[in-house]
Amino acid sequence: MRTDGPADGSHMSPEEFRRHGHAAIDWIADYWEGLDGLPVLSQVTPGDVRRRLPAEPPEEGESFDALLADLDDIVVPGLTHWQHPRFFAYFPANSSPAAILGDLLSSGIGAQGMIWATSPAVTEVEQVVVDWLAQALGLPDQFRLTDYGQGGGVIQDTASTATFTALLAALHSATSGTARDNGVGSTKWTVYGSSQAHSSLVKATMMAGLGSECVRSVDVDPQTQAMDVSVLERMLADDIDDGFTPLFVQAAVGTTSTGAIDDVQAIAEAIDGVGVWLHVDAAWAGVAAVCPELRDRILGGVHLARSIVTNPHKWLLTTFDCSVLWVQERSALTNALSITPEYLRNLASESGAVVDYRDWHPQLGRRFRSLKLWAVLRTYGLEGLRAHIRQGVELAEHFAGLVRDDERFELVTERSLSLVVFRLVDGDEATLAAMHRLNASGTAYLSHTVVEGRAAMRLAVGSWRTTLEDIDRTWEALQQAL
């Protein structure tokens, strides 16, 4: 029996697959165990990894063991370790053992869930899981699919795709369905988000054919960095007077720069009667609503929004990619995006008794993403998820306290959940130099932003492996970098 790999072009036998599968799981476990000793930020220079790989593919199959060896020798040195306990840059792209096993099962099943008929379980497990998550976060009932019938949720790849999808639904709704057939027409549409809104809002307008010039950047409060709703009201009024038609307002709940949380209730009241679609981008912060004590701050006013997105793959222990979009009226999505060629027609879809998720986003094909979120929800339970979120908040508050107690530093904004934004009082050059030296040391990895014209460092806690010792070790390394 062949044991060294498919050198003859044949497939692995079940026994070989089992052996290599065990080796792959062992490799992941060893990788996790050794992460603390690896530099968080990759130390390679451009082209290092590529130069170590052959320029041509192998003519004959190689052993899977050889691939694992090259992971250690070539790939790992070229990785920035997002699962490292001291990865504090950007926002976490989280994972967990349960999520990885769920994703492995999804890959092994290999089902294509574009319509209900192609694998009913792929659709129906997802329906239940996104409803579970809506309940866990305390979302209003109108966002749920089962028992209510109007709204519902869908797993997208990222919040960027979810924002684009929500914008398409808004355009369909505003044009009574003509946009999908006739384009955006001569109407001068406008789209609104704060100056701190994610860049995906602008990209969504580009992809929708509206053009980036339709986006209005609304000023923020200098202290909180949240949208100044009075400015939004003036911009809406001015645009209407100038012949524009407001289409879409995005409220940010946890901005990338500082974690600022827009006042969704106030925004909804400001646009009342204008007829615009209110979308809530809670990609990072939204999952923190599993904790009842954080819910009002995060989801206050969300019942007035028409769509909301949050990413379990950021802070809720679910392997990338897993972004959940909910809408209050799912027909706005399905009517905007549904196209049914003959080869997709089937009795179940035509009966109207099933959901075909292909109509809920731009892509046709879809993986069994819900398995990994299902695995996380079932193995951790809500109490386990709450404990994880609370730990992140507590560790960030500990770091914020260290900043407050050191006269060389200052907080730029108040801590937002598990995100701390801070700087050296000596100015931009000193702030960025210290951050770059810390990152180059390999001990930890922080990213930066600019707030009100001044540079700042960001420390975002989120890994299930981060401890108080990691926070203190990062602070000590930062002192050494001054």
Side-chain angles (χ1 to χ4, degrees):
M1 179 180 291
R2 173 175 49 82
T3 58
D4 292 333
D8 58 355
S10 61
H11 304 292
M12 288 183 190
S13 68
E15 293 76 15
E16 290 168 329
F17 175 75
R18 184 173 287 110
R19 179 173 70 84
H20 292 309
H22 283 303
I25 293 294
D26 285 342
W27 187 94
I28 294 170
D30 290 342
Y31 172 71
W32 285 343
E33 286 185 337
L35 272 176
D36 194 66
L38 297 175
V40 187
L41 181 65
S42 175
Q43 307 293 298
V44 302
T45 58
D48 282 354
V49 175
R50 183 171 181 172
R51 281 189 290 270
R52 298 201 61 195
L53 294 171
E56 298 176 351
E59 286 291 338
E60 297 182 350
E62 300 177 71
S63 166
F64 193 80
D65 294 328
L67 184 146
L68 290 179
D70 281 349
L71 274 179
D72 288 322
D73 189 39
I74 300 174
V75 175
V76 169
L79 294 176
T80 290
H81 301 289
W82 285 69
Q83 306 307 314
H84 196 290
R86 292 185 298 281
F87 180 97
F88 300 122
Y90 312 108
F91 285 126
N94 223 329
S95 189
S96 66
I100 289 171
L101 293 175
D103 216 18
L104 177 62
L105 292 171
S106 174
S107 295
I109 292 169
Q112 165 58 269
M114 54 190 176
I115 56 178
W116 180 89
T118 57
S119 272
V122 175
T123 294
E124 295 189 16
V125 170
E126 182 165 339
Q127 289 176 281
V128 171
V129 166
V130 295
D131 267 4
W132 278 5
L133 185 59
Q135 294 176 65
L137 300 180
L139 289 180
D141 287 343
Q142 57 262 40
F143 285 106
R144 292 173 55 195
L145 179 70
T146 55
D147 302 328
Y148 298 95
Q150 298 301 313
V154 58
I155 299 178
Q156 310 266 5
D157 50 8
T158 64
S160 297
T161 300
T163 296
F164 176 49
T165 304
L167 181 61
L168 293 177
L171 190 60
H172 177 82
S173 180
T175 62
S176 300
T178 62
R180 58 170 284 162
D181 299 318
N182 303 320
V184 298
S186 59
T187 303
K188 298 189 295 183
W189 302 106
T190 47
V191 171
Y192 304 82
S194 86
S195 62
Q196 302 305 302
H198 195 272
S199 60
S200 59
L201 179 62
V202 175
K203 183 174 284 188
T205 66
M206 294 162 54
M207 293 190 295
L210 299 173
S212 60
E213 290 187 357
C214 79
V215 180
R216 303 292 189 261
S217 180
V218 184
D219 291 340
V220 297
D221 179 283
Q223 298 301 314
T224 66
Q225 295 295 293
M227 181 188 287
D228 187 329
V229 180
S230 66
V231 174
L232 172 65
E233 290 178 305
R234 289 196 301 271
M235 294 179 79
L236 286 166
D238 289 345
D239 279 336
I240 292 171
D241 287 345
D242 292 339
F244 292 94
T245 302
L247 172 67
F248 190 87
V249 174
Q250 177 170 291
V253 174
T255 61
T256 300
S257 179
T258 64
I261 297 176
D262 292 344
D263 188 336
V264 177
Q265 178 82 32
I267 293 172
E269 292 172 357
I271 65 176
D272 187 34
V274 179
V276 297
W277 181 293
L278 177 56
H279 174 65
V280 175
D281 177 4
W284 161 66
V287 297
V290 296
C291 298
E293 70 273 16
L294 301 175
R295 193 167 291 162
D296 286 347
R297 181 185 176 200
I298 295 167
L299 297 181
V302 76
H303 62 287
L304 299 170
R306 297 186 68 177
S307 56
I308 178 173
V309 62
T310 193
N311 292 353
H313 68 229
K314 277 192 167 69
W315 196 10
L316 204 66
L317 301 169
T318 306
T319 304
F320 186 85
D321 51 358
C322 184
S323 178
V324 184
L325 171 70
W326 290 274
V327 291
Q328 290 209 31
E329 306 156 60
R330 65 176 180 267
S331 61
L333 282 185
T334 58
N335 290 340
L337 297 171
S338 177
I339 299 176
T340 307
E342 185 61 35
Y343 52 79
L344 291 180
R345 294 189 183 278
N346 64 92
L347 293 176
S349 295
E350 292 175 6
S351 74
V354 301
V355 165
D356 288 335
Y357 270 131
R358 68 182 177 93
D359 297 332
W360 290 58
H361 44 49
Q363 67 270 26
L364 171 63
R366 53 195 335 271
R367 299 188 298 113
F368 200 171
R369 289 192 185 99
S370 61
L371 267 185
K372 55 191 171 188
L373 183 55
W374 194 37
V376 168
L377 289 170
R378 292 188 62 179
T379 59
Y380 283 92
L382 297 186
E383 281 302 319
L385 297 178
R386 290 172 188 138
H388 169 67
I389 296 295
R390 287 168 180 151
Q391 180 188 40
V393 172
E394 291 167 3
L395 292 176
E397 178 54 32
H398 174 72
F399 188 86
L402 296 174
V403 173
R404 292 189 196 99
D405 293 341
D406 192 321
E407 61 184 11
R408 297 170 297 177
F409 292 89
E410 63 181 357
L411 292 174
V412 175
T413 56
E414 287 300 311
R415 173 189 55 80
S416 178
L417 301 172
S418 63
L419 173 65
V420 181
V421 183
F422 65 106
R423 63 186 167 213
L424 283 161
V425 296
D426 284 347
D428 291 0
E429 185 176 343
T431 296
L432 293 176
M435 184 193 74
H436 291 317
R437 283 193 288 268
L438 171 65
N439 291 345
S441 74
T443 301
Y445 182 30
L446 278 60
S447 55
H448 79 282
T449 187
V450 174
V451 182
E452 297 297 312
R454 294 184 61 188
M457 289 181 268
R458 300 171 66 265
L459 182 138
V461 183
S463 171
W464 57 282
R465 304 180 71 253
T466 301
T467 65
L468 183 62
E469 181 182 358
D470 291 305
I471 299 296
D472 288 338
R473 184 173 171 184
T474 299
W475 180 251
E476 180 182 352
L478 184 58
Q479 311 306 301
Q480 297 171 357
L482 298 181

